[in-house]
């Protein structure tokens, strides 16, 4: 008989530690300003371990974008708004969740993929493609709900795909604007942009009277 004992999650591998360190440092300092030495120090691993898992810093950047996509994609896939019956409620629920996640300094809520592509879209095609996959993957995850809301409300002249890209444009833009602000006002500015986005969808889908 196996005795009862507390659950212990599996220990992070050296690769996982490096990817977690990359997420933290890229959000805080940017990709270019984050060195391999800093990544190893933050992860608590040797430089040999770094180059065992990643051929270069660029390869780490690509892997960090993929790691970010997997972790955030899983989080949003399990979010409670998916259980709502009405597609408009699901769209508004997604935006409400996004607003709720914004707090603290920009490095606490900004997007790793967005930060990577802002710096490396010309210097690294591999990072650009990985960031594109991450950001557009987030857009596609909302596309079906937006298509259903468009059809249900009789909206013409646009599509779920186009609207989902607009959502990402506002989110990424809000993060950039937040980075221009002092730490104490950054989150408020970002939340305000997403609140405007929510009002736009409420009006588009005929919910503006319900929102008042």
């Amino acid at each position: 008989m196996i005795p009862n004992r507390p659950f212990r999650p599996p220990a992070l591998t050296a690769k996982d530690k490096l990817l977690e360190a990359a997420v933290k440092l890229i959000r805080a300092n940017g990709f270019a300003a984050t060195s391999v030495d800093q990544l190893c120090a933050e992860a608590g691993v040797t430089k040999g371990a770094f180059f065992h898992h990643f051929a270069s810093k660029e390869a780490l950047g690509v892997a960090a974008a993929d790691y970010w996509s997997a972790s955030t994609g899983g989080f949003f896939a399990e979010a409670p708004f998916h259980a709502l019956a009405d597609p408009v409620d699901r769209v508004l629920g997604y935006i409400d969740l996004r607003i709720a996640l914004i707090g603290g300094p920009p490095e606490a809520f900004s997007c790793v993929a967005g930060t990577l592509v802002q710096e490396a879209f010309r210097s690294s095609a591999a990072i650009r493609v990985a960031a594109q996959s991450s950001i557009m993957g987030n857009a596609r995850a909302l596309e079906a709900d937006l298509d259903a809301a468009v059809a249900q409300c009789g909206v013409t002249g646009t599509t779920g795909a186009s609207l989902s890209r607009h959502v990402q444009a506002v989110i990424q833009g809000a993060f950039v604007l937040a980075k221009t602000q002092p730490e104490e006002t950054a989150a408020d500015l970002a939340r305000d942009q997403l609140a405007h986005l929510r009002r736009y969808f409420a009006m588009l889908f005929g919910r503006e009277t319900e929102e008042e």
Side-chain angles (χ1 to χ4, degrees), residues 3-11:
N4 291 327
R5 54 188 173 186
F7 170 74
R8 291 186 177 86

Side-chain angles (χ1 to χ4, degrees), residues 77-155:
E78 296 175 0
F81 71 83
H82 291 291
L84 299 172
D86 190 310
V88 176
D89 289 336
R90 294 197 294 274
V91 171
L92 296 179
Y94 171 81
I95 299 171
D96 287 338
L97 176 57
R98 281 288 195 171
I99 292 171
L101 291 172
I102 296 174
E107 59 266 31
F109 59 81
S110 58
C111 175
V112 171
T115 301
L116 282 166
V117 78
Q118 286 164 36
E119 291 191 41
F121 74 103
R122 285 286 184 245
S123 60
S124 172
I127 288 177
R128 180 185 61 77
V129 170
Q132 176 197 49
S133 177
S134 179
I135 294 169
M136 293 306 183
N138 266 300
R140 285 190 294 273
L142 194 59
E143 192 174 319
D145 286 340
L146 283 164
D147 272 331
V150 163
Q152 175 178 286
C153 299
V155 174

